[in-house]
Amino acid sequence: TSISVDSSNGRHVNHPNIEAYTGLVNGYAKTGHLDKALGMMQLMRTRGVEPNEYTYTCIVGALARSNKVRQAKKMIEYALNLNLPRKKLTPIYNAFISGLLSDDDNDNSEGQASQAANVIEALSMLQDMQDLDIRPNVVTVSVVI
């Protein structure tokens, strides 16, 4: 599915819609191509297609899994600026928390220290959810325990 956009020469150019862009972002993110996923989000905006809660859920989870906490939190800030109903933000926070806690590389002391830092960050994000009146759901609870 695509949308028709007026180009500079008066012709109509078809561009993918939000679902298509989100699918590309998700595919890049899941395969570890975070730069391409972030680039796709920028291209979306350039073409007048704003990322939605699903797009942010995909990228936030991938960034958190890659331990790019600062970037993931920045994406959460962008999502907050969408002025979505609070319940639509819960999956984005879940993706962040789940991504942080999914690190299986704790066989050595460095991995264990990183995992401990991620647990603290996840608990901090739960507090942020509470402060912003974003209600945890069943997924949130199952990820944390």
Side-chain angles (χ1 to χ4, degrees), residues 32-58:
H33 296 96
L34 294 175
D35 289 339
K36 288 183 179 182
L38 292 166
M40 187 59 58
M41 288 184 73
Q42 184 60 41
L43 179 64
M44 290 171 69
R45 286 189 191 101
T46 300
R47 292 186 172 170
V49 180
E50 284 301 314
N52 63 17
E53 67 269 22
Y54 302 108
T55 317
Y56 282 107
T57 298
C58 296

Side-chain angles (χ1 to χ4, degrees), residues 17-84:
N17 62 15
I18 185 67
E19 291 84 6
Y21 278 117
T22 297
L24 289 168
V25 169
N26 189 37
Y28 284 136
K30 282 187 174 180
T31 57
H33 296 96
L34 294 175
D35 289 339
K36 288 183 179 182
L38 292 166
M40 187 59 58
M41 288 184 73
Q42 184 60 41
L43 179 64
M44 290 171 69
R45 286 189 191 101
T46 300
R47 292 186 172 170
V49 180
E50 284 301 314
N52 63 17
E53 67 269 22
Y54 302 108
T55 317
Y56 282 107
T57 298
C58 296
I59 197 71
V60 165
L63 288 167
R65 282 189 302 277
S66 296
N67 214 26
K68 297 184 181 298
V69 175
R70 191 176 10 231
Q71 281 182 286
K73 290 173 98 172
K74 192 63 159 173
M75 289 294 149
I76 291 172
E77 285 179 36
Y78 292 146
L80 286 169
N81 289 331
L82 294 175
N83 295 318
L84 296 167

Side-chain angles (χ1 to χ4, degrees), residues 37-138:
L38 292 166
M40 187 59 58
M41 288 184 73
Q42 184 60 41
L43 179 64
M44 290 171 69
R45 286 189 191 101
T46 300
R47 292 186 172 170
V49 180
E50 284 301 314
N52 63 17
E53 67 269 22
Y54 302 108
T55 317
Y56 282 107
T57 298
C58 296
I59 197 71
V60 165
L63 288 167
R65 282 189 302 277
S66 296
N67 214 26
K68 297 184 181 298
V69 175
R70 191 176 10 231
Q71 281 182 286
K73 290 173 98 172
K74 192 63 159 173
M75 289 294 149
I76 291 172
E77 285 179 36
Y78 292 146
L80 286 169
N81 289 331
L82 294 175
N83 295 318
L84 296 167
R86 292 296 184 209
K87 68 180 181 179
K88 289 192 172 194
L89 294 169
T90 301
I92 299 169
Y93 280 84
N94 289 348
F96 179 82
I97 294 166
S98 175
L100 283 178
L101 300 180
S102 69
D103 185 13
D104 295 328
D105 184 27
N106 58 6
D107 294 339
N108 58 40
S109 60
E110 185 179 306
Q112 290 172 351
S114 174
Q115 187 68 13
N118 287 350
V119 168
I120 292 168
E121 188 68 48
L123 293 174
S124 173
M125 191 56 66
L126 283 171
Q127 183 62 52
D128 289 351
M129 288 176 74
Q130 183 176 359
D131 293 345
L132 294 168
D133 197 30
I134 299 170
R135 297 183 65 187
N137 61 18
V138 172

